[in-house]
Amino acid sequence: MMKLTQFCCLLNPELNSRDVKKFSFEINTLKSIKLSIERTLPFEYIAKFMPPFLSLWDKEGIFSYSDYDTSLAQISREDGIDVYIFWMDWRLYMENMSPEQCAIWFSERLIKTKSNCSILVNNWPSFWQLDEKQYSANLSKRGWIYQFNVQLERLKQEFKQLEIIDLDLLSSQIGMSSYDSRNDKVSNYPFSNQLTLQVARYISLNLLPAMLEPKLKAIVVDLDNTLYSGVLGEDGNDGIHLTEEHIQLQKVLKNLKENGILLAISSKNNEMDVLELFEKRTDFPLQRNDFTFIEANWSSKAENIKIMAKKFNFDVSSMLFIDDNPAELMHVVSDLPAIHLLLADATGKETVHRLINYPRLYSLKKDEMAEQRQQDILANQKRQVLQANAVDGNAYLNSLQMQIGIYENEKGHMQRIFELGQKTNQFNLALKRLTKGQMEEKFISQDYKIYSITLSDILSYSGIIGVFICHINGVTARFEEILFSCRALGRKVEDAALHSILKKLQKEHIQFVQFDTVRGPRNKPALDWIQSVTLNYVENLVDIKNRLEAKLLDYPAEVIEKHE
């Protein structure tokens, strides 16, 4: 319970250095990430506050620092760098360069980074000195900053691995107290302790997890004193109170849902009462159809979450459970230790901020597949009914009228393939978690073939659900990564796709096949599958193809080579 309370202190809107410094964690259990700091501004003030935040998603930051060099002449090329952080005092460039010139100059430095690494760079606050109020933007430094911040955003189109540390946003939320003239005079560091804490949290809990870790897939939320104030069974539909903070919380949850996070309810209430609640309370930003599943009953919430995980077809480690009752949270985590927890407060005031700051929920871009993914999961419930009523496995598959599409080196699929690699846990053969830069390198290389797999049936179009990343070396094809969405499992799509790919490779005179594998905490389904396909991980192509043909006897799906 103490740990849960400390966790929440780090997520609350009001941060203080005392709470951050006293947060305890086991450093021996953390996985290191290497951060290369390229700077013209002291970063140590930020770094000293980052360890507790990083520990919330089981990470430890290893920092290496450049010299203070306004020319950025020596960009680190050390092995093992996970993320570059360019921590820049852009005031140093205002007098000598236009915003456009400065952005061009900086882009030339970005080219010197290791192309497979993620990159963070700070913009600059639009307003940080009181005397700026004496001038209009076109007469003051604000005008330069406005234009330069826009130029930095545009660089993201050229450098796909680049993201912005948005000092302009964070300082605007704090106001003039984000600036500290004494700090600036003593150490050329102009930011207050308050802003420094916010920046440390923003980098540690929002940006770095979004760049390095798979996003959480679902949020399971309680109802009473969590989504609203009151108890439905006692107060009734009209008696529960929707505060402004609860409205904001529901809007944040709705935004998360619209950008790919599935929502579900686990509540100790009568199901009919809950359904009636959403029917009658039209003032709720969240409505019934925003939730993929509702488990409203008197069973334990842990059992309800297990049922939902099975319906979602992914592990509870990809789920966040929100409840106002610490005892319920502790009971759930004792039964499901891999699940993520968030303590809600009855007013909703703290909950919304804790949710916004929770690691692995932050989005770097809009998820265009969000609606399609939810519809496909609902379609899976209908597939389970068809399977239960079918006389055998092939009869069930035949009833689906599946069509499997195979694309080769289709660059338009690159973003979705990258996202699939970041999200997929269960069917991820080598757990490489390729960066955008690494993915782009492989698409460009003549030595790689990247096969993206689509799936459709009579119930839904699932979109891109799988990928095979294959390195060609002479007569050997080495599959460096094989990924499949959990939504596609159980229909032999991986067997049919690999069989079709091997036929293509055989025509191109490939004789041997190799598969890279890594045993992770949750990818047993992928490892079990590859053991059913190959005995030695390096084998004659014909032998593997023949083994797949035996597995696919009378397989009814149509496999089609496609082009955009």
Side-chain angles (χ1 to χ4, degrees):
M1 178 60 193
M2 178 65 71
K3 190 75 170 179
L4 188 63
T5 304
Q6 283 189 319
F7 194 123
C8 289
C9 285
L10 298 188
L11 301 178
N12 286 341
E14 300 301 326
L15 271 177
N16 64 72
S17 56
R18 183 179 63 255
D19 287 336
V20 175
K21 289 177 180 177
K22 74 180 183 182
F23 185 82
S24 60
F25 53 92
E26 288 289 335
I27 195 167
N28 294 333
T29 65
L30 306 179
K31 181 181 177 181
S32 296
I33 54 174
K34 188 171 182 179
L35 307 171
S36 180
I37 314 300
E38 315 294 327
R39 60 183 178 165
T40 61
L41 188 69
F43 191 78
E44 289 84 348
Y45 298 100
I46 306 291
K48 73 177 181 179
F49 289 123
M50 288 176 62
F53 297 117
L54 291 172
S55 74
L56 299 187
W57 52 291
D58 302 321
K59 295 295 184 293
E60 174 193 15
I62 306 299
F63 299 89
S64 62
Y65 291 92
S66 73
D67 294 330
Y68 293 102
D69 179 9
T70 56
S71 69
L72 296 179
Q74 299 295 324
I75 305 296
S76 176
R77 301 280 297 179
E78 292 180 25
D79 292 335
I81 295 173
D82 293 297
V83 180
Y84 286 97
I85 298 181
F86 284 87
W87 189 237
M88 304 293 293
D89 187 343
W90 294 113
R91 298 174 300 177
L92 302 174
Y93 305 90
M94 291 178 183
E95 301 298 330
N96 300 319
M97 294 190 225
S98 70
E100 294 80 5
Q101 290 170 334
C102 192
I104 292 170
W105 168 85
F106 183 60
S107 70
E108 292 168 350
R109 271 65 188 166
L110 289 179
I111 293 170
K112 298 179 181 180
T113 61
K114 295 169 74 79
S115 61
N116 60 353
C117 291
S118 298
I119 302 171
L120 290 173
V121 61
N122 61 286
N123 62 17
W124 201 253
S126 302
F127 175 61
W128 79 95
Q129 288 178 256
L130 189 60
D131 60 8
E132 285 283 293
K133 284 190 171 183
Q134 293 180 285
Y135 305 98
S136 66
N138 65 317
L139 295 177
S140 71
K141 295 172 182 176
R142 293 200 316 280
W144 192 98
I145 294 165
Y146 291 153
Q147 295 178 50
F148 177 71
N149 288 349
V150 170
Q151 294 294 326
L152 268 188
E153 283 290 338
R154 288 176 179 168
L155 283 183
K156 290 165 62 174
Q157 299 173 15
E158 180 182 353
F159 298 91
K160 303 299 183 185
Q161 70 273 38
L162 176 67
E163 295 297 336
I164 307 299
I165 303 169
D166 200 342
L167 294 186
D168 193 26
L169 172 65
L170 296 176
S171 64
S172 69
Q173 295 169 342
I174 297 173
M176 275 305 299
S177 59
S178 62
Y179 178 66
D180 191 319
S181 59
R182 291 171 299 176
N183 273 1
D184 200 14
K185 186 175 182 180
V186 171
S187 60
N188 296 316
Y189 182 81
F191 306 130
S192 66
N193 197 56
Q194 186 180 0
L195 179 59
T196 299
L197 280 167
Q198 295 289 346
V199 173
R201 179 167 69 180
Y202 178 53
I203 293 173
S204 301
L205 295 186
N206 294 137
L207 294 173
L208 290 178
M211 301 175 91
L212 301 176
E213 290 285 297
K215 202 172 178 181
L216 294 180
K217 295 180 179 179
I219 296 174
V220 182
V221 63
D222 177 41
L223 290 178
D224 296 339
N225 290 317
T226 299
L227 277 190
Y228 49 76
S229 180
V231 178
L232 178 61
E234 298 175 3
D235 302 323
N237 294 330
D238 297 329
I240 61 174
H241 183 46
L242 195 63
T243 67
E244 284 300 317
E245 289 79 9
H246 284 118
I247 290 172
Q248 189 61 44
L249 171 62
Q250 291 197 24
K251 286 180 177 179
V252 168
L253 284 166
K254 193 176 184 75
N255 287 338
L256 287 168
K257 177 254 181 181
E258 290 174 351
N259 207 33
I261 304 291
L262 300 166
L263 301 182
I265 289 171
S266 179
S267 173
K268 289 186 175 178
N269 272 297
N270 291 319
E271 183 177 8
M272 293 305 298
D273 290 345
V274 172
L275 296 178
E276 184 182 351
L277 169 70
F278 284 105
E279 181 182 341
K280 293 190 174 180
R281 289 299 296 261
T282 56
D283 56 332
F284 277 26
L286 285 170
Q287 291 297 303
R288 166 67 187 89
N289 60 3
D290 289 312
F291 297 94
T292 307
F293 300 118
I294 293 178
E295 294 291 337
N297 49 50
W298 302 102
S299 301
S300 78
K301 293 186 178 181
E303 289 303 316
N304 284 340
I305 291 170
K306 288 179 187 177
I307 291 169
M308 285 188 281
K310 187 174 181 180
K311 289 180 179 179
F312 282 130
N313 200 20
F314 50 67
D315 192 82
V316 294
S317 61
S318 298
M319 300 169 72
L320 171 66
F321 176 49
I322 305 175
D323 199 299
D324 68 297
N325 187 338
E328 288 283 11
L329 293 171
M330 292 300 100
H331 177 264
V332 167
V333 80
S334 68
D335 200 5
L336 302 169
I339 199 166
H340 301 266
L341 303 178
L342 182 62
L343 179 64
D345 73 298
T347 68
K349 181 180 179 180
E350 305 294 345
T351 315
V352 65
H353 291 282
R354 293 171 186 172
L355 188 62
I356 288 171
N357 292 316
Y358 202 92
R360 296 174 57 189
L361 290 178
Y362 188 81
S363 294
L364 297 175
K365 68 182 295 297
K366 185 166 180 60
D367 188 342
E368 304 294 346
M369 301 283 293
E371 182 64 27
Q372 184 181 90
R373 191 178 302 111
Q374 174 152 335
Q375 294 305 315
D376 201 31
I377 286 173
L378 293 173
N380 260 339
Q381 308 309 300
K382 298 176 182 178
R383 293 185 186 104
Q384 290 176 10
V385 174
L386 289 174
Q387 186 174 21
N389 294 330
V391 294
D392 58 39
N394 271 353
Y396 157 65
L397 294 175
N398 190 55
S399 70
L400 293 178
Q401 301 177 32
M402 292 187 297
Q403 186 178 95
I404 299 168
I406 299 181
Y407 296 79
E408 181 178 327
N409 293 339
E410 182 56 59
K411 289 186 177 180
H413 293 178
M414 185 162 54
Q415 178 62 33
R416 169 58 182 156
I417 292 171
F418 164 73
E419 292 170 356
L420 196 61
Q422 299 303 303
K423 294 176 181 177
T424 305
N425 291 311
Q426 294 183 68
F427 206 103
N428 189 327
L429 204 58
L431 298 171
K432 285 190 165 47
R433 308 292 189 202
L434 299 175
T435 66
K436 290 181 182 178
Q438 289 172 322
M439 188 67 68
E440 194 163 9
E441 283 181 349
K442 294 183 189 303
F443 264 98
I444 294 170
S445 173
Q446 297 296 314
D447 297 329
Y448 279 87
K449 292 181 181 293
I450 300 177
Y451 302 98
S452 45
I453 313 301
T454 62
L455 177 65
S456 62
D457 63 19
I458 59 170
L459 295 174
S460 71
Y461 174 66
S462 301
I464 300 169
I465 47 79
V467 61
F468 295 77
I469 299 176
C470 182
H471 181 256
I472 306 299
N473 183 11
V475 295
T476 300
R478 175 186 172 191
F479 287 89
E480 294 185 349
E481 190 66 285
I482 299 177
L483 307 163
F484 271 88
S485 168
C486 56
R487 294 179 288 119
L489 300 184
R491 286 176 272 172
K492 297 186 179 180
V493 179
E494 58 274 17
D495 291 321
L498 179 57
H499 180 258
S500 181
I501 290 168
L502 291 182
K503 287 198 299 182
K504 286 167 61 70
L505 292 173
Q506 188 177 24
K507 291 177 182 178
E508 297 170 18
H509 310 294
I510 297 298
Q511 298 177 24
F512 301 98
V513 179
Q514 177 180 354
F515 297 91
D516 288 359
T517 63
V518 170
R519 184 171 297 279
R522 293 182 290 278
N523 69 336
K524 188 175 183 295
L527 298 177
D528 289 346
W529 170 75
I530 199 62
Q531 288 177 359
S532 74
V533 169
T534 179
L535 303 177
N536 302 310
Y537 297 105
V538 181
E539 199 171 350
N540 189 289
L541 181 149
V542 174
D543 292 339
I544 299 175
K545 186 165 71 72
N546 290 341
R547 202 170 292 122
L548 285 166
E549 285 172 359
K551 291 181 70 178
L552 293 167
L553 190 64
D554 298 326
Y555 185 67
E558 182 181 14
V559 182
I560 303 173
E561 292 185 25
K562 291 197 170 188
H563 305 278
E564 286 289 293

